[in-house]
């Protein structure tokens, strides 16, 4: 008979999970068991505390659905998402750094022309984000698809506004393509800083701390160009509130861009603005995929 004690249970459980058929799963599960047991020992976890944690996980699952990703949010605020991003995207100096995807990206955004407005019909200060997509050697990357999304001026993403948006209407999200010389131009409205959703288990936990629950003003970009490392990133407005306290640890100095004030007049899409507008100029620099051995 196997005699289980407080002293040997970790070795027993790790050995059992080490039988996973896939070696990588075995490695992950053994390490997980050891770290979980060490954690419980270190904090001398009580049964009521363990049950409270189980209930919290249960509520996190219950509030999650196709549109709400509470587990991603939990991983984000714990700094785990950003740690995983950084470990897996150690890019060359000069390449645009990656940051968190966040829970609000929606697949299948409409393709818009150079400079077309992805904020059609929404109030806000016009913002043009323009520049080039290039590689580390400065070579233009044409036909790069830039998948762009952002929150509205109330800090809400389309994914959070199920009832307001029609099924086939995209709101503050679109795909733009770079021209053959690598240039791209996004027209939108200036984003504002916003709070992460605080009405679920993650918010419940954050409310018991002094943690700021805000993110600085930003626009999200996803570039998945054949031959290059996929890039998920954001551009942040220079001088925005919360840059130093982003609740999901997503800010990086290289991604902070001046949103320059412009008076009414010609705009980068070849049109004219009747009202003052903002200009953000940024070159996305892609890292080539490592060559695969023959
Ligand atoms: C976002 O920027 O969309 C976001 C990222 C992580 C958590 C919550 C929101
Ligand atoms: Fe965001």
């Amino acid at each position: 008979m196997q005699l289980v004690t407080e002293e040997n249970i970790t070795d027993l459980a790790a050995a059992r999970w080490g039988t996973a058929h896939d070696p990588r799963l075995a490695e992950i599960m053994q390490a997980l068991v050891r770290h979980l047991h060490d954690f419980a020992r270190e904090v001398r976890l009580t049964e009521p505390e363990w049950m409270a944690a189980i209930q919290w996980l249960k509520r996190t699952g219950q509030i999650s659905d196709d549109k709400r990703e509470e587990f991603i949010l939990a991983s984000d605020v714990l700094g785990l998402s950003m740690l995983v991003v950084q470990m897996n995207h150690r890019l060359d100096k000069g390449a645009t750094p990656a940051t968190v995807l966040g829970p609000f990206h929606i697949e299948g955004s409409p393709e818009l022309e150079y400079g077309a407005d992805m904020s059609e019909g929404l109030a806000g200060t016009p913002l043009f984000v323009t520049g080039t997509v290039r590689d580390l050697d400065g070579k233009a990357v044409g036909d790069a698809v830039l998948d762009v999304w952002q929150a509205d001026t109330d800090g809400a993403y389309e994914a959070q506004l199920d009832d307001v948006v029609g099924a086939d209407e995209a709101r503050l999200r679109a795909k733009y393509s770079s021209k053959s010389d690598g240039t791209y131009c996004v027209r939108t409205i200036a984003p504002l800083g916003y709070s992460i959703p605080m009405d679920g288990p993650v918010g419940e936990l954050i409310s018991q701390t002094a943690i700021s629950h805000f993110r600085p003003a930003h626009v999200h970009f996803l570039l998945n160009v054949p031959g290059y490392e996929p890039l998920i990133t954001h551009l942040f407005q220079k001088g925005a509130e919360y840059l130093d306290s982003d609740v999901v640890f997503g800010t990086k100095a290289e991604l902070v861009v001046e949103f320059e004030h412009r008076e009414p007049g010609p705009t980068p899409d070849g049109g004219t603005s009747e009202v003052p507008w903002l200009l953000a100029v940024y070159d996305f620099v892609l890292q080539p995929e490592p060559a695969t051995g023959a």
Side-chain angles (χ1 to χ4, degrees), residues 67 104-112 117-122 147-150 152 156-159 161-162 164-176 187-188:
K67 298 255 175 183
F104 301 126
H105 176 250
I106 297 180
E107 295 289 342
S109 286
E111 291 170 23
L112 295 189
D117 189 1
M118 73 171 201
S119 67
E120 198 79 75
L122 294 173
D147 191 346
V148 190
W149 71 105
Q150 71 171 82
D152 66 18
Y157 282 84
E158 180 187 321
L161 295 173
D162 216 10
V164 182
V165 183
D168 29 308
E169 248 180 278
R171 188 174 193 273
L172 287 169
R173 62 183 174 95
K175 285 180 179 167
Y176 295 85
R187 180 180 173 158
T188 181

Side-chain angles (χ1 to χ4, degrees), residues 222-249:
L222 188 158
L223 286 84
N224 200 348
V225 182
Y228 297 93
E229 295 281 339
L231 175 67
I232 295 172
T233 196
H234 318 347
L235 296 182
F236 296 92
Q237 181 175 16
K238 188 170 173 189
E241 225 182 326
Y242 316 118
L243 275 174
D244 291 331
S245 61
D246 183 6
V247 62
V248 303
F249 307 94

